[in-house]
Amino acid sequence: MPGNKAVIFKGPGSVAVESTEYPTFELKDGPGVNPANVGRELPHAAILKVVATNICGSDQHMVRGRTTAPTGLALGHEITGEVVETGPGVEYIKQGDLVSVPFNIACGRCRNCKEGKTGVCMNVNPDRPGSAYGYVDMGGWVGGQAEYVLVPYADWNCLKFPDKDQAMDKIRDLAMLSDIFPTGFHGAVSAGVEPGSTVYIAGAGPVGLAAATSAFLLGAAVVIVGDLQKERLEQARSFGCETVDVSQGDPKDQVEQILGEPEVDCAVDAVGFEAHGHGSDAQMERPATVLNTVMDVTRAGGAVGIPGLYVTGDPGAADEAAKVGSLSIRLGLGWAKSLAFTTGQCPVMRYNRKLMMAILHDRVQIAKNVNATVIPLDQAPEGYADFDKGAARKYVLDPHGMIS
């Protein structure tokens, strides 16, 4: 049996690559594992040799100490890998298959899964609907920023690439299917982006850039991306986006300069709960700023997609209300404008096969647009530190040196 190494959360501001247990077909006790999940038998699971596993902004929230994540947690929920072993209950996924793994863990059997709501599966997290690998309060499934990882309900969760050689040629793009590309696409779809739409996307991090890419794929006429980081705004402009530097003032004024009117058809919040203010407040944390802005800039009767992460527990919040996820949202404005809102985890499986086909047939260059940057697993701490400073990159970890 081979060894295993994984990226481990050591406490606020610190991660390390450490030796860890090789996966088995049983969920064992460990940091963050729900007691009701300990000892859970997993004959339906597969063990993957990880080919690519990405650093996500959601991981950064934990590493910054902005969640209740326990120390010792193995991180990582964006997984692409080669199947090396399957449990006796796996029928269709085979050893040697190269697969993408949705970050949502889903059973495929419950009511929500059968309705396509795989982000809120009822059977994988005893605390609440919905689960993910290597994430706080998500049931304790071991993270995939590792050399090897276990994927439960493999026949249901694994998206097999039809041709391994073709997939490896496009692995940087295909690595985005586990989370940020479907998440960005979900934000754009939820916002009602269609041919000819004008779109405002708050946040030029990887999810925001994926949402912008998705808006173009859906036929948007104009995509405007707002952010504080000049390097990230430059990355957005590199593939045709208009940009708004929110440190310069109210995004609505800059939207009007671009479009000739202060509103767009659709808006996406790709920032989440660590939002900062605008203009003179740009260096201050203002967790409701983006939610209120996207309501303000969206036309009456429009829609807002909210793939940005919001949490129920934020020990680092600036006030007591925000510590439990209670924010000063201008709901009256949204009501008065008859806006539609969609929140929550992206149900990755709803989109990942379609987006895979778009990648394989050269309809989109998501890796280029998010500036996918491959580094060895051992350099994960440096990747986390660089990403935390606002680097306009999507770091892809390559545990086995398989990405050319």
Side-chain angles (χ1 to χ4, degrees), residues 4-64:
N4 196 15
K5 292 194 297 184
V7 179
I8 305 296
F9 173 55
K10 304 297 289 182
S14 178
V15 299
V17 179
E18 297 181 351
S19 296
T20 187
E21 289 189 9
Y22 186 81
T24 66
F25 294 99
E26 177 186 329
L27 190 53
K28 298 180 179 179
D29 198 6
V33 179
N34 190 294
N37 264 348
V38 175
R40 187 168 179 165
E41 297 290 338
L42 306 168
H44 45 68
I47 297 172
L48 269 57
K49 179 181 180 180
V50 177
V51 173
T53 176
N54 312 331
I55 297 174
C56 181
S58 298
D59 299 319
Q60 288 284 16
H61 294 308
M62 292 187 290
V63 174
R64 291 188 191 115

Side-chain angles (χ1 to χ4, degrees), residues 98 161-175 359-360:
L98 188 61
F161 300 136
D163 183 282
K164 284 181 72 172
D165 291 337
Q166 180 192 30
M168 287 304 298
D169 285 343
K170 297 178 179 293
I171 196 64
R172 288 176 174 80
D173 295 280
L174 294 171
I359 290 169
L360 293 178

Side-chain angles (χ1 to χ4, degrees), residues 33 107 229 231 241 267 359:
V33 179
C107 71
Q229 298 280 352
E231 185 183 0
C241 299
I359 290 169

Side-chain angles (χ1 to χ4, degrees), residues 273 287 291 310-315 317 319-329:
F273 74 103
L291 288 171
Y310 289 87
V311 294
T312 57
D314 176 9
D319 59 67
E320 292 302 313
K323 286 181 179 180
V324 293
S326 181
L327 309 180
S328 298
I329 300 168

Side-chain angles (χ1 to χ4, degrees), residues 208-237:
L209 298 175
T213 301
S214 300
F216 283 126
L217 191 60
L218 290 164
V222 182
V223 178
I224 305 169
V225 179
D227 203 282
L228 296 162
Q229 298 280 352
K230 288 179 169 52
E231 185 183 0
R232 289 183 168 185
L233 292 174
E234 184 179 340
Q235 183 64 29
R237 289 191 293 271

